[in-house]
Amino acid sequence: MTINKKCALIMIRSGFLKRASSGGTGIINLCLKNVGSNMPNALKTLATLLLITSVLLVTCKSAYANDPLNEFEQAMVQHKGKVVYVDFWASWCIPCRKSFPWMNTMQAKHQDQGLVVLSINLDAEKKLSKEFLKQTPANFAIIYDARGKLAQKFKLKGMPSSYLFDRQGKLISAHTGFNGKKQQLYEQEISEALAQ
């Protein structure tokens, strides 16, 4: 039995359903030409319904997976039991350029104790954040939120904004801005949260 390489293939033969995807495009095509002409109409209808259901599931799943709110919630669940430092940033934010090296240091220094740095980029165009990251690399996870859904959820007042969550996922501090004086306060709060 050969697979038609030009389309995703759902082959039904003797009641057996087999699915293959086409080159990662996410589009599923129904190719019944290899099945034969004696297939009952009910089976063809069932195959069509299965195809439609598969397309809807794939579409909904990929849309859900790319949602920043969902990505953030998944990250928080994944890091439950750890202290999570969440930082909102954008490529145009001058203090963000100073906070990134500090966040890299904090992540490296306290990772074994359970600190996770999670950053949320608010640039409307992803290429702007990529250019920023070439100059100021990040050694921590980044969620891209071009539409500002997470910014709305957190009711951001300025950039950068940071939020510290304890090991139970409870918000324990929130700050706007970044400078040397604030850096000391943030480090103290992180140390206290890790000690608990």
Side-chain angles (χ1 to χ4, degrees):
M1 195 179 296
T2 63
I3 295 175
N4 183 344
K5 293 182 180 179
K6 293 182 181 176
C7 65
L9 182 59
I10 296 176
M11 295 182 65
I12 302 170
R13 213 172 255 182
S14 304
F16 178 74
L17 179 70
K18 184 175 182 179
R19 176 179 167 233
S21 65
S22 68
T25 62
I27 298 171
I28 301 174
N29 295 312
L30 187 62
C31 301
L32 294 173
K33 66 181 183 179
N34 297 329
V35 174
S37 60
N38 59 358
M39 176 187 251
N41 283 337
L43 198 51
K44 287 182 183 178
T45 302
L46 176 62
T48 303
L49 288 173
L50 287 171
L51 170 69
I52 292 168
T53 303
S54 297
V55 169
L56 288 173
L57 286 173
V58 168
T59 303
C60 291
K61 186 177 179 183
S62 65
Y64 185 69
N66 293 331
D67 179 53
L69 291 168
N70 178 54
E71 246 184 288
F72 176 76
E73 289 168 11
Q74 286 180 345
M76 292 302 287
V77 168
Q78 178 186 352
H79 299 302
K80 187 148 180 121
K82 297 183 178 181
V83 173
V84 181
Y85 182 87
V86 177
D87 179 74
F88 284 85
W89 65 281
S91 61
W92 49 263
C93 170
I94 303 301
C96 296
R97 295 190 184 280
K98 294 179 182 176
S99 69
F100 267 55
W102 175 80
M103 288 188 293
N104 284 336
T105 300
M106 291 294 99
Q107 174 87 10
K109 183 177 176 182
H110 297 294
Q111 188 171 3
D112 291 341
Q113 297 169 296
L115 176 67
V116 173
V117 174
L118 178 62
S119 71
I120 301 164
N121 175 261
L122 298 174
D123 281 312
E125 295 180 36
K126 200 171 185 177
K127 70 177 185 175
L128 296 172
S129 64
K130 296 292 184 189
E131 290 170 13
F132 175 96
L133 291 169
K134 283 180 187 173
Q135 298 171 2
T136 314
N139 298 330
F140 41 81
I142 299 171
I143 295 174
Y144 295 96
D145 185 21
R147 293 189 177 165
K149 290 180 180 182
L150 286 165
Q152 290 174 357
K153 177 181 175 157
F154 280 88
K155 298 177 181 153
L156 246 58
K157 293 181 172 68
M159 294 289 276
S161 287
S162 59
Y163 300 84
L164 187 63
F165 293 86
D166 67 11
R167 294 181 190 274
Q168 289 72 43
K170 180 184 167 197
L171 179 64
I172 55 175
S173 72
H175 300 283
T176 302
F178 185 86
N179 58 40
K181 199 172 191 177
K182 290 183 178 187
Q183 176 181 327
Q184 292 174 354
L185 172 64
Y186 300 169
E187 285 183 35
Q188 181 183 343
E189 290 177 348
I190 288 170
S191 295
E192 289 171 4
L194 289 169
Q196 294 179 3

